[in-house]
Amino acid sequence: LAPKVIRDGRGAFLGKTPKHDPHFVVRHVLSRHERGELEVYCVDIDPATDREAAPHSKSVVEHTFVVAGRIEIRVGDVVEQLNEGDRMTFLADRPHIYCALDNRAARFIALLDYP
């Protein structure tokens, strides 16, 4: 599985809620079919912090969605910088590194998808 990045605003737009409420807009982020367990984590990372994550079990796929701030994720030779609203999907059965960018804290949601 090659790492994949979905930039904010590029995901499927599902529309506004009934009566076209301008304060509540729904965008599809991720669907999962025919795999095993899921684990979801909310992660806060301080500025100038590199956090190396140990490999997860074989074939575990991670989906990381940035809620606040900006982060960099390194998986092998792949280095991606993600802004608020971006999502990255990658095989997490090898070491991977998270880093908050711009000298400010960041928050992201990590969803672990087990085979």
Side-chain angles (χ1 to χ4, degrees):
L1 175 70
K4 180 179 180 183
V5 175
I6 305 290
R7 300 291 178 194
D8 187 30
R10 301 288 175 131
F13 176 70
L14 299 181
K16 296 182 180 181
T17 58
K19 299 185 182 180
H20 304 288
D21 183 345
H23 304 288
F24 191 79
V25 175
V26 179
R27 286 186 172 82
H28 179 256
V29 175
L30 179 70
S31 294
R32 182 192 55 82
H33 304 284
E34 300 180 21
R35 282 183 59 97
E37 290 184 48
L38 295 175
E39 292 179 353
V40 179
Y41 300 93
C42 181
V43 181
D44 294 314
I45 185 168
D46 288 335
T49 300
D50 278 6
R51 169 70 166 100
E52 183 169 353
H56 298 286
S57 304
K58 185 178 181 193
S59 299
V60 169
V61 174
E62 181 169 327
H63 310 278
T64 301
F65 179 79
V66 181
V67 177
R70 296 180 63 238
I71 66 171
E72 180 176 276
I73 300 177
R74 288 174 265 174
V75 184
D77 294 334
V78 174
V79 178
E80 288 288 347
Q81 293 185 355
L82 305 175
N83 300 310
E84 291 178 14
D86 290 349
R87 174 179 53 91
M88 181 174 177
T89 297
F90 58 94
L91 268 176
D93 58 0
R94 54 192 160 162
H96 43 288
I97 299 170
Y98 310 98
C99 180
L101 299 174
D102 302 330
N103 201 29
R104 65 181 251 213
R107 172 175 282 178
F108 60 91
I109 303 297
L111 186 147
L112 301 180
D113 187 356
Y114 292 84

Short mmCIF file of all heavy atoms in Angstrom, two decimals, residues 1-2 7 18 27 35 37 49 53 57-59 70-71 80-82 90 96 98 101 108 111 114:
data_model
loop_
_atom_site.label_atom_id
_atom_site.label_comp_id
_atom_site.label_asym_id
_atom_site.label_seq_id
_atom_site.Cartn_x
_atom_site.Cartn_y
_atom_site.Cartn_z
N LEU A 1 0.85 -1.18 0.00
CA LEU A 1 0.00 0.00 0.00
C LEU A 1 0.89 1.23 0.00
O LEU A 1 1.65 1.44 0.94
CB LEU A 1 -0.92 0.00 1.23
CG LEU A 1 -1.78 1.23 1.44
CD1 LEU A 1 -2.87 1.27 0.38
CD2 LEU A 1 -2.41 1.18 2.81
N ALA A 2 0.80 2.04 -1.02
CA ALA A 2 1.58 3.28 -1.10
C ALA A 2 0.91 4.35 -0.25
O ALA A 2 -0.33 4.40 -0.18
CB ALA A 2 1.65 3.75 -2.55
N ARG A 7 -5.94 16.08 0.44
CA ARG A 7 -5.86 17.45 0.93
C ARG A 7 -7.25 17.96 1.31
O ARG A 7 -8.26 17.54 0.74
CB ARG A 7 -5.23 18.37 -0.13
CG ARG A 7 -3.84 17.98 -0.52
CD ARG A 7 -2.85 18.21 0.59
NE ARG A 7 -1.52 17.77 0.20
CZ ARG A 7 -0.53 17.62 1.04
NH1 ARG A 7 -0.69 17.85 2.33
NH2 ARG A 7 0.64 17.21 0.62
N PRO A 18 -30.05 19.12 6.29
CA PRO A 18 -31.38 19.58 5.86
C PRO A 18 -31.55 21.07 6.17
O PRO A 18 -31.00 21.59 7.12
CB PRO A 18 -32.32 18.72 6.70
CG PRO A 18 -31.54 17.48 6.96
CD PRO A 18 -30.11 17.93 7.09
N ARG A 27 -18.42 16.32 4.97
CA ARG A 27 -17.49 15.85 3.94
C ARG A 27 -17.06 14.44 4.30
O ARG A 27 -16.74 14.16 5.44
CB ARG A 27 -16.27 16.76 3.86
CG ARG A 27 -16.55 18.08 3.19
CD ARG A 27 -15.28 18.89 2.99
NE ARG A 27 -15.54 20.05 2.19
CZ ARG A 27 -16.04 21.19 2.65
NH1 ARG A 27 -16.34 21.29 3.92
NH2 ARG A 27 -16.25 22.21 1.86
N ARG A 35 -12.56 -5.34 6.58
CA ARG A 35 -11.30 -5.52 7.31
C ARG A 35 -11.67 -5.76 8.76
O ARG A 35 -12.83 -5.74 9.14
CB ARG A 35 -10.39 -4.31 7.16
CG ARG A 35 -9.68 -4.28 5.79
CD ARG A 35 -8.72 -3.14 5.66
NE ARG A 35 -7.67 -3.09 6.63
CZ ARG A 35 -6.42 -3.57 6.46
NH1 ARG A 35 -6.10 -4.17 5.33
NH2 ARG A 35 -5.52 -3.44 7.38
N GLU A 37 -10.54 -5.07 13.08
CA GLU A 37 -10.75 -4.05 14.10
C GLU A 37 -10.25 -2.67 13.69
O GLU A 37 -9.37 -2.54 12.85
CB GLU A 37 -10.01 -4.44 15.38
CG GLU A 37 -10.59 -5.61 16.10
CD GLU A 37 -9.83 -5.86 17.40
OE1 GLU A 37 -9.60 -4.89 18.15
OE2 GLU A 37 -9.48 -7.01 17.65
N THR A 49 8.73 18.69 18.46
CA THR A 49 8.81 17.34 18.99
C THR A 49 8.75 16.34 17.85
O THR A 49 7.83 16.37 17.04
CB THR A 49 7.64 17.06 19.96
OG1 THR A 49 7.69 18.00 21.04
CG2 THR A 49 7.68 15.66 20.50
N ALA A 53 7.15 6.41 16.16
CA ALA A 53 6.22 5.35 16.52
C ALA A 53 6.80 4.02 16.07
O ALA A 53 7.29 3.89 14.95
CB ALA A 53 4.87 5.58 15.87
N SER A 57 1.42 -4.06 14.06
CA SER A 57 1.37 -5.43 13.53
C SER A 57 1.37 -5.42 12.01
O SER A 57 1.03 -4.42 11.36
CB SER A 57 0.09 -6.13 14.01
OG SER A 57 0.02 -6.11 15.41
N LYS A 58 1.72 -6.58 11.42
CA LYS A 58 1.79 -6.72 9.97
C LYS A 58 0.47 -6.31 9.31
O LYS A 58 -0.61 -6.69 9.75
CB LYS A 58 2.12 -8.16 9.60
CG LYS A 58 2.33 -8.35 8.13
CD LYS A 58 2.71 -9.75 7.76
CE LYS A 58 2.92 -9.80 6.25
NZ LYS A 58 3.01 -11.10 5.73
N SER A 59 0.58 -5.53 8.24
CA SER A 59 -0.53 -5.09 7.39
C SER A 59 -1.48 -4.08 8.05
O SER A 59 -2.56 -3.82 7.51
CB SER A 59 -1.34 -6.29 6.88
OG SER A 59 -0.51 -7.12 6.10
N ARG A 70 -0.15 21.92 11.93
CA ARG A 70 0.44 21.24 10.79
C ARG A 70 1.41 20.19 11.32
O ARG A 70 2.09 20.41 12.31
CB ARG A 70 1.21 22.21 9.90
CG ARG A 70 0.34 23.26 9.25
CD ARG A 70 1.13 24.23 8.37
NE ARG A 70 1.75 23.53 7.26
CZ ARG A 70 3.06 23.51 7.01
NH1 ARG A 70 3.92 24.15 7.76
NH2 ARG A 70 3.54 22.86 5.97
N ILE A 71 1.47 19.04 10.63
CA ILE A 71 2.41 17.99 11.03
C ILE A 71 3.17 17.48 9.83
O ILE A 71 2.74 17.66 8.68
CB ILE A 71 1.72 16.81 11.76
CG1 ILE A 71 0.77 16.06 10.82
CG2 ILE A 71 1.02 17.27 13.02
CD1 ILE A 71 0.23 14.76 11.41
N GLU A 80 5.81 13.69 4.18
CA GLU A 80 4.66 14.50 3.79
C GLU A 80 4.36 15.53 4.87
O GLU A 80 4.38 15.20 6.06
CB GLU A 80 3.41 13.64 3.60
CG GLU A 80 3.43 12.78 2.37
CD GLU A 80 3.26 13.55 1.07
OE1 GLU A 80 2.88 14.74 1.10
OE2 GLU A 80 3.51 12.95 0.01
N GLN A 81 4.07 16.75 4.46
CA GLN A 81 3.61 17.78 5.38
C GLN A 81 2.12 17.93 5.20
O GLN A 81 1.64 18.09 4.06
CB GLN A 81 4.34 19.09 5.11
CG GLN A 81 5.81 19.00 5.45
CD GLN A 81 6.53 20.33 5.32
OE1 GLN A 81 5.97 21.33 4.88
NE2 GLN A 81 7.79 20.33 5.72
N LEU A 82 1.39 17.86 6.30
CA LEU A 82 -0.07 17.89 6.27
C LEU A 82 -0.59 19.12 7.00
O LEU A 82 -0.12 19.45 8.09
CB LEU A 82 -0.65 16.64 6.93
CG LEU A 82 -0.17 15.29 6.39
CD1 LEU A 82 -0.72 14.16 7.22
CD2 LEU A 82 -0.56 15.13 4.94
N PHE A 90 -1.31 5.17 5.25
CA PHE A 90 -0.06 4.47 4.98
C PHE A 90 0.00 3.15 5.74
O PHE A 90 -0.71 2.97 6.73
CB PHE A 90 1.16 5.35 5.34
CG PHE A 90 1.19 5.80 6.78
CD1 PHE A 90 1.89 5.08 7.74
CD2 PHE A 90 0.53 6.95 7.17
CE1 PHE A 90 1.94 5.51 9.05
CE2 PHE A 90 0.57 7.39 8.48
CZ PHE A 90 1.28 6.65 9.42
N HIS A 96 7.50 4.92 11.86
CA HIS A 96 7.02 6.16 11.26
C HIS A 96 7.18 7.27 12.30
O HIS A 96 7.16 7.03 13.50
CB HIS A 96 5.58 6.05 10.76
CG HIS A 96 4.65 5.34 11.67
ND1 HIS A 96 4.68 3.97 11.88
CD2 HIS A 96 3.63 5.79 12.45
CE1 HIS A 96 3.73 3.62 12.73
NE2 HIS A 96 3.10 4.70 13.11
N TYR A 98 6.26 11.36 13.56
CA TYR A 98 5.40 12.53 13.51
C TYR A 98 6.18 13.73 14.06
O TYR A 98 6.93 13.60 15.02
CB TYR A 98 4.17 12.36 14.42
CG TYR A 98 3.42 11.09 14.22
CD1 TYR A 98 3.62 10.00 15.07
CD2 TYR A 98 2.46 10.97 13.21
CE1 TYR A 98 2.92 8.83 14.91
CE2 TYR A 98 1.75 9.79 13.05
CZ TYR A 98 1.98 8.73 13.91
OH TYR A 98 1.28 7.57 13.75
N LEU A 101 4.82 21.10 13.10
CA LEU A 101 5.53 22.12 12.33
C LEU A 101 5.17 23.53 12.80
O LEU A 101 4.21 23.72 13.55
CB LEU A 101 5.19 21.96 10.84
CG LEU A 101 5.57 20.63 10.21
CD1 LEU A 101 5.04 20.56 8.78
CD2 LEU A 101 7.07 20.42 10.24
N PHE A 108 -4.03 15.60 15.90
CA PHE A 108 -4.50 14.77 14.80
C PHE A 108 -5.23 13.56 15.34
O PHE A 108 -5.07 13.18 16.50
CB PHE A 108 -3.36 14.37 13.85
CG PHE A 108 -2.25 13.56 14.46
CD1 PHE A 108 -2.28 12.18 14.47
CD2 PHE A 108 -1.14 14.20 15.01
CE1 PHE A 108 -1.24 11.44 15.02
CE2 PHE A 108 -0.10 13.47 15.56
CZ PHE A 108 -0.14 12.10 15.56
N LEU A 111 -6.35 6.71 13.09
CA LEU A 111 -7.23 5.56 13.02
C LEU A 111 -6.40 4.37 12.55
O LEU A 111 -5.81 4.42 11.45
CB LEU A 111 -8.37 5.83 12.04
CG LEU A 111 -9.44 4.77 11.98
CD1 LEU A 111 -10.78 5.44 11.69
CD2 LEU A 111 -9.15 3.72 10.96
N TYR A 114 -6.96 -2.64 11.29
CA TYR A 114 -6.32 -3.96 11.35
C TYR A 114 -6.92 -4.90 10.33
O TYR A 114 -8.12 -4.87 10.07
CB TYR A 114 -6.48 -4.56 12.75
CG TYR A 114 -5.70 -3.83 13.80
CD1 TYR A 114 -6.21 -2.70 14.42
CD2 TYR A 114 -4.43 -4.27 14.17
CE1 TYR A 114 -5.48 -2.02 15.38
CE2 TYR A 114 -3.69 -3.60 15.13
CZ TYR A 114 -4.23 -2.47 15.73
OH TYR A 114 -3.49 -1.79 16.67
#
